[in-house]
Amino acid sequence: MKPQGVHPEGAESTSDASSRPDTADADGKDTDACVEEVHADEVESDEPLLPARVHRPSDLMRLLVGVLAVVVLLAIAAFAHGTTSGLEQDINKGTGQAPDLLIKIAGLASSIAILLVPVAFAIERLIKRDGLRIADGVLAAVLAHGVTLATDLWVAKAAPSSIQEALTQPSPGDIHALTDPVHGYLAPVIAYMTAVGMSRRPRWRAVLWIVLMLDAFSMLVTGYTTPFSIILTVLIGWTVAYGTLYAVGSPNVRPTGQTLIAGLRTVGFHPVSAAREEASETAENSDRGRRYFVTLEDGPPLDVTVVDREQQAQGFFYRVWRNLTLRGFATRSSLQSLRQALEQEALLAYAAIAAGANAPKLIATSELGPDAVMLVYEHTGGRTLESLAEEEITDELLRNTWRQVQALQSRRIAHRRLAGDAILVDRSGAVILTDLRGGEIAASTLLLRMDVAQLVTTLGLLAGAERAVASAVSILGPDAVADCLPMLQPIALTRSTRATLRKLARERAQREREAVLHASQQAKQARLEEAPEDTRPVLEKPDKKTVKAEARAEKRAIDEAIEEAREEDLLTQIRHQVLLIRPQAPVEPARLERVKPRTLISFIAGAIGAYFLLTQLTHIEFGPLVANAEWGWVAAAVLFSACSYFAAAMALLGFVPERVGFLRTVAAQVAGSFVKIVAPAAVGGVALNTRFLQRQGVRPGLAVASVGASQLFGLGCHIVMLLSFGYLTGTEKTPSLSPSRTVIAGLLTVAVLVLVVTSVPFLRKFVVTRVRSLFAGVVPRMLDVLQRPQKLVTGIGGMLLLTACFVMCLDASIRAFGQEGTSLSIASVAVVFLAGNALGSAAPTPGGVGAVEATLTVGLIAVGLPKEVAAPAVLLFRLLTLWLPVLPGWLAFNQLSRKGAL
């Protein structure tokens, strides 16, 4: 890390930080003070220009909490009508006994103070030249006023009656009028006072609460508001204020270099210069603090770490997510005060040195105002382990690193962040452990094993798995290294290490794809070179035996290329190295997750599905609908819907040469009806089928290729059928065989899109890259399928049967509610279904909800079906194909998951 000296004005310097004094007068102070002031002014201390405003994660958190509180309040008002009415009656009964004189005095005082207090605070801030805060408050007040007007309009025009009754009541002055749901003057005042920071000043905060309570009391007693209206007003003002602060940013209160110099002088040092160390982008966006290299008038230099509230808030939401999903021993607190951070880092620094480890020696700590602290260390120097060249990472250096960790673990100290940038190597080759802030004393055995797993992965990235494991075994012993295997999983590693492993995985996958593509090209080139000159034209139309032989040869070449290009990931290599030493070592990963992502997704899926189902059914009158239905056609629609899952299984298995159980594949397609609720239809099904094939023993690349081939053929069949049925629909009522205008318009649209894609370089490159990747995997897979014509027939037949099942289900739904003469031709129903299904696959909503219903209803009406028949028919169709299968899909999903099939 290179020190960076800068001028006090904020511009970067070009000379050494310790040799550029800046001068200033001493403002008439005595001789000693003048000398001290000259030294203070001579130092080069400030860093490059800091942003004037910062977006605080705490403001965003308060905004989200406020929005959630508003939603909860409106939900209570909507569904707990008895509770709201009882609360209002109790309050009216209690306040009705208050003396009239007290009520009048409170109302008069609050009405005056509610305006005077903000004005007085604004004057006080302007006198102290803090006009930006006043501007923030005014902006928040204006926005809060707009939100109150919108809320009043929504409550009056569109809100449910229960919410309206909870927020309003008959006005005392006019029994035919209602009171305001939100107070138009109170919410802006609250937003203003929150945005300007009045709540952080004790005296002003006390005055604010007194005024608010008096105003609420007087409004409740006089009958001009309700309790829920007051709470909603406060929440809106509070939420809008923090939303404004997060949007425009808060004034940056980070301590500058001059503040750091002043803080060092208070603890007895005499600094000459302070240079900010250059930090990587990862470190800059972390909560590790800012580091400075400080030179003194006499004595060795210092390393100073400054931690402020902004730096500490970095990664807050990531830490919250980790705390929610991981068990307590695997995480650390997501919210620490500056005092707690200071005490923890100081404690770990002293404990590490007492344990005999090489760690920076802490010699002083101090606060830098109310929003920052600093920790002063003896200067260590050295380079980070990850910055060393490959030849510099010797076996002795690896063993020295493990010795330092062994010293920590002998006193049960967990480092918690043994990444490459937390380990320094000085000029003599000594290893120094830094960044102890996140560690723990009296650590559990699991945390100590996590440290071993982290460090062996870090060293494996730098020196290879074999050397990393060998060095660990030589210092810790084989048993200690073997015990860390259950912790050797990505979720137990640091964020930067996981990012590096993902990057390496992408590079491996890219090499495998390039190897497959190269092998395919080599096989084709070899066939052309082996063929005689006079027979090469004949190869353009070879016989079936030649096709099969060439396909087998190309498949063999591709398989060999995949085997040669396949590389084990680093964690697998480490496991193999450990198992060579301890074959009986435990390899089952430890359960570190409190809530698995799959469980969380299932819960969210159920909630989303229930919400959409309720919204779809709330506006339907089921009495007449059930009474008028023809149950024979309803049963037929149910049968066609059930058959669609068998057809989907056929469509998938037709492009999988490997042997996969048919009934289990049908169960996977039923499980896909549950997955569609949480993801767009075109995404969820692809992911589930790919995962299913992998679990059935199909290699990952081949599983992706099989699903891709089925999707590609499905798209082709969909387009062909849409054009064919559209052509038939256009010629049904005309004597000529000319296509309809809709088909012509669709073809022209496709042609224009093709021209646009081919003419724009960026789009053309994107499409070419995707097509190459497709042909690298899908086309060789199709060659495998072509060797088994019955498979290809099964796949294409399954696709046609799947479309036929859905079309017949929609037709049966129409006939279930239609009268004589209202039915449509199969061609018209097919066109409507294919168009709706295409839009549903493109729509970002789960299962295409909303887009499919609207498209099917409008389409059926457009082809001549009455609205009274189209709406219930579409509802029944979606009920049978989307909503009712959710429960059996959830059961199938969980059953297959338990059996390891998903």
Side-chain angles (χ1 to χ4, degrees), residues 55-74:
H55 301 280
R56 303 176 188 269
S58 57
D59 292 336
L60 178 59
M61 194 67 184
R62 292 187 178 99
L63 169 64
L64 297 177
V65 170
V67 171
L68 179 62
V70 170
V71 172
V72 171
L73 179 70
L74 294 178

Side-chain angles (χ1 to χ4, degrees), residues 705-792:
S706 293
V707 176
S710 65
Q711 292 290 316
L712 184 63
F713 264 82
L715 176 63
C717 290
H718 195 98
I719 294 175
V720 170
M721 286 188 290
L722 182 60
L723 295 177
S724 301
F725 285 115
Y727 184 90
L728 294 176
T729 303
T731 59
E732 278 180 348
K733 299 181 180 180
T734 58
S736 66
L737 294 179
S738 60
S740 63
R741 293 183 178 181
T742 303
V743 175
I744 295 175
L747 292 175
L748 291 177
T749 302
V750 172
V752 170
L753 289 176
V754 172
L755 290 176
V756 170
V757 170
T758 54
S759 60
V760 178
F762 169 75
L763 294 176
R764 183 173 62 250
K765 182 179 179 181
F766 177 80
V767 171
V768 169
T769 302
R770 297 297 178 184
V771 169
R772 286 185 63 186
S773 300
L774 176 67
F775 275 82
V778 173
V779 172
R781 194 60 166 167
M782 288 308 304
L783 294 176
D784 294 340
V785 175
L786 288 175
Q787 297 180 30
R788 303 178 181 180
Q790 67 275 14
K791 280 283 187 179
L792 186 61

Side-chain angles (χ1 to χ4, degrees), residues 784-820:
D784 294 340
V785 175
L786 288 175
Q787 297 180 30
R788 303 178 181 180
Q790 67 275 14
K791 280 283 187 179
L792 186 61
V793 171
T794 301
I796 298 178
M799 291 175 184
L800 297 176
L801 181 60
L802 179 62
T803 302
C805 287
F806 282 126
V807 170
M808 296 305 296
C809 182
L810 180 58
D811 183 69
S813 301
I814 295 173
R815 296 177 185 274
F817 298 102
Q819 306 296 328
E820 281 195 35

Side-chain angles (χ1 to χ4, degrees), residues 100-450:
D100 292 339
L101 179 61
L102 177 61
I103 295 174
K104 292 179 180 179
I105 293 176
L108 179 62
S110 62
S111 61
I112 296 174
I114 203 74
L115 299 177
L116 288 182
V117 171
V119 174
F121 187 77
I123 294 174
E124 189 258 352
R125 288 289 91 197
L126 290 174
I127 291 175
K128 295 185 177 181
R129 299 182 179 180
D130 195 8
L132 285 177
R133 288 186 181 272
I134 304 303
D136 294 342
V138 172
L139 176 60
V142 172
L143 295 176
H145 184 65
V147 173
T148 58
L149 292 178
T151 305
D152 288 344
L153 182 63
W154 173 73
V155 172
K157 301 295 184 181
S161 58
S162 56
I163 293 180
Q164 190 178 77
E165 292 176 6
L167 298 177
T168 61
Q169 62 182 10
S171 176
D174 185 1
I175 196 172
H176 299 291
L178 297 176
T179 58
D180 293 333
V182 182
H183 300 296
Y185 68 89
L186 188 58
V189 169
I190 294 173
Y192 167 84
M193 293 188 292
T194 304
V196 298
M198 185 183 293
S199 60
R200 292 193 294 269
R201 302 176 183 274
R203 294 181 180 179
W204 287 103
R205 183 173 65 243
V207 174
L208 168 64
W209 279 108
I210 292 173
V211 170
L212 291 177
M213 292 175 64
L214 284 176
D215 183 75
F217 174 76
S218 61
M219 296 290 289
L220 281 173
V221 171
T222 54
Y224 282 97
T225 189
T226 67
F228 280 84
S229 176
I230 291 178
I231 298 174
L232 181 62
T233 301
V234 174
L235 289 176
I236 287 178
W238 189 71
T239 304
V240 171
Y242 284 112
T244 304
L245 289 177
Y246 186 75
V248 303
S250 300
N252 195 343
V253 295
R254 280 188 172 184
T256 62
Q258 293 288 353
T259 308
L260 172 63
I261 293 297
L264 287 172
R265 291 188 177 279
T266 61
V267 291
F269 297 102
H270 301 282
V272 174
S273 67
R276 172 83 180 274
E277 290 184 348
E278 293 181 352
S280 63
E281 183 179 353
T282 303
E284 186 70 24
N285 295 327
S286 69
D287 61 345
R288 297 170 55 191
R290 292 175 293 152
R291 300 178 179 180
Y292 293 84
F293 174 77
V294 178
T295 57
L296 304 178
E297 293 179 5
D298 52 353
L302 304 174
D303 291 331
V304 181
T305 299
V306 177
V307 181
D308 55 54
R309 295 191 187 279
E310 298 304 324
Q311 197 78 26
Q312 192 183 26
Q314 294 289 345
F316 171 77
F317 294 105
Y318 170 76
R319 293 196 299 271
V320 169
W321 168 253
R322 296 273 291 181
N323 286 337
L324 288 176
T325 56
L326 299 184
R327 297 180 180 273
F329 63 82
T331 61
R332 64 183 181 90
S333 174
S334 59
L335 188 62
Q336 265 187 333
S337 67
L338 284 173
R339 170 63 63 177
Q340 289 173 329
L342 175 67
E343 292 173 350
Q344 181 176 6
E345 185 162 353
L347 175 62
L348 264 297
Y350 293 136
I353 293 177
N358 290 337
K361 184 179 180 181
L362 181 67
I363 56 178
T365 60
S366 177
E367 292 185 348
L368 296 178
D371 296 313
V373 295
M374 70 174 180
L375 298 101
V376 184
Y377 294 92
E378 289 184 351
H379 179 62
T380 55
R383 293 178 294 166
T384 61
L385 190 63
E386 64 182 7
S387 65
L388 298 179
E390 184 176 352
E391 61 273 10
E392 295 179 279
I393 304 177
T394 62
D395 291 339
E396 182 60 26
L397 177 61
L398 298 181
R399 287 192 291 269
N400 287 339
T401 304
W402 283 111
R403 289 190 182 99
Q404 301 306 313
V405 175
Q406 184 186 39
L408 292 182
Q409 299 215 343
S410 66
R411 301 294 178 87
R412 302 199 71 81
I413 300 173
H415 188 285
R416 302 297 303 271
R417 199 188 173 279
L418 288 169
D421 58 348
I423 303 172
L424 297 182
V425 182
D426 64 12
R427 293 180 179 178
S428 64
V431 175
I432 305 169
L433 299 181
T434 66
D435 200 14
L436 290 160
R437 181 181 171 195
E440 289 189 19
I441 62 172
S444 66
T445 302
L446 291 176
L447 285 182
L448 300 180
R449 291 176 180 175
M450 287 176 66

Side-chain angles (χ1 to χ4, degrees), residues 380-642:
T380 55
R383 293 178 294 166
T384 61
L385 190 63
E386 64 182 7
S387 65
L388 298 179
E390 184 176 352
E391 61 273 10
E392 295 179 279
I393 304 177
T394 62
D395 291 339
E396 182 60 26
L397 177 61
L398 298 181
R399 287 192 291 269
N400 287 339
T401 304
W402 283 111
R403 289 190 182 99
Q404 301 306 313
V405 175
Q406 184 186 39
L408 292 182
Q409 299 215 343
S410 66
R411 301 294 178 87
R412 302 199 71 81
I413 300 173
H415 188 285
R416 302 297 303 271
R417 199 188 173 279
L418 288 169
D421 58 348
I423 303 172
L424 297 182
V425 182
D426 64 12
R427 293 180 179 178
S428 64
V431 175
I432 305 169
L433 299 181
T434 66
D435 200 14
L436 290 160
R437 181 181 171 195
E440 289 189 19
I441 62 172
S444 66
T445 302
L446 291 176
L447 285 182
L448 300 180
R449 291 176 180 175
M450 287 176 66
D451 268 3
V452 176
Q454 171 62 51
L455 184 57
V456 75
T457 304
T458 299
L459 299 181
L461 290 171
L462 299 174
E466 184 177 356
R467 293 178 62 195
V469 172
S471 60
V473 171
S474 65
I475 303 301
L476 301 182
D479 293 334
V481 179
D483 289 339
C484 82
L485 286 187
M487 299 295 171
L488 197 65
Q489 47 184 308
I491 199 170
L493 305 177
T494 63
R495 194 175 188 178
S496 59
T497 305
R498 294 200 305 273
T500 304
L501 292 177
R502 286 195 296 269
K503 179 182 177 181
L504 294 177
R506 289 193 295 268
E507 292 175 355
R508 288 197 306 274
Q510 180 63 28
R511 287 194 293 269
E512 288 185 6
R513 286 193 294 269
E514 291 176 355
V516 169
L517 183 61
H518 180 72
S520 178
Q521 293 173 348
Q522 290 286 348
K524 293 178 182 177
Q525 185 67 26
R527 289 198 307 270
L528 291 176
E529 291 176 355
E530 292 174 359
E533 291 289 340
D534 54 348
T535 60
R536 287 183 183 179
V538 181
L539 291 178
E540 297 180 359
K541 295 182 181 180
D543 55 17
K544 292 183 179 180
K545 292 183 179 180
T546 305
V547 170
K548 290 182 179 180
E550 291 177 353
R552 284 194 297 269
E554 185 167 356
K555 179 179 181 300
R556 187 165 50 254
I558 290 174
D559 289 342
E560 292 175 356
I562 292 176
E563 289 296 332
E564 292 178 1
R566 181 174 289 110
E567 304 173 27
E568 290 184 337
D569 64 275
L570 177 63
L571 299 185
T572 302
Q573 294 176 28
I574 293 174
R575 290 192 190 94
H576 288 170
Q577 291 297 324
V578 175
L579 291 175
L580 290 176
I581 301 170
R582 279 287 184 271
Q584 71 277 16
V587 294
E588 185 68 22
R591 176 72 183 278
L592 301 180
E593 295 172 302
R594 179 184 288 116
V595 179
K596 289 188 176 181
R598 184 169 59 190
T599 304
L600 192 59
I601 291 174
S602 299
F603 176 77
I604 295 174
I608 294 175
Y611 170 77
F612 280 117
L613 180 59
L614 291 175
T615 56
Q616 291 288 314
L617 301 180
T618 49
H619 303 292
I620 303 298
E621 297 181 2
F622 287 96
L625 191 67
V626 174
N628 297 330
E630 295 188 17
W631 293 101
W633 285 111
V634 172
V638 172
L639 180 61
F640 287 127
S641 177

Side-chain angles (χ1 to χ4, degrees), residues 812-862:
S813 301
I814 295 173
R815 296 177 185 274
F817 298 102
Q819 306 296 328
E820 281 195 35
T822 58
S823 60
L824 301 175
S825 66
I826 293 296
S828 299
V829 175
V831 168
V832 172
F833 164 75
L834 292 170
N837 189 52
L839 185 58
S841 299
T845 56
V849 173
V852 174
E853 287 83 358
T855 303
L856 293 180
T857 303
V858 172
L860 291 176
I861 295 174

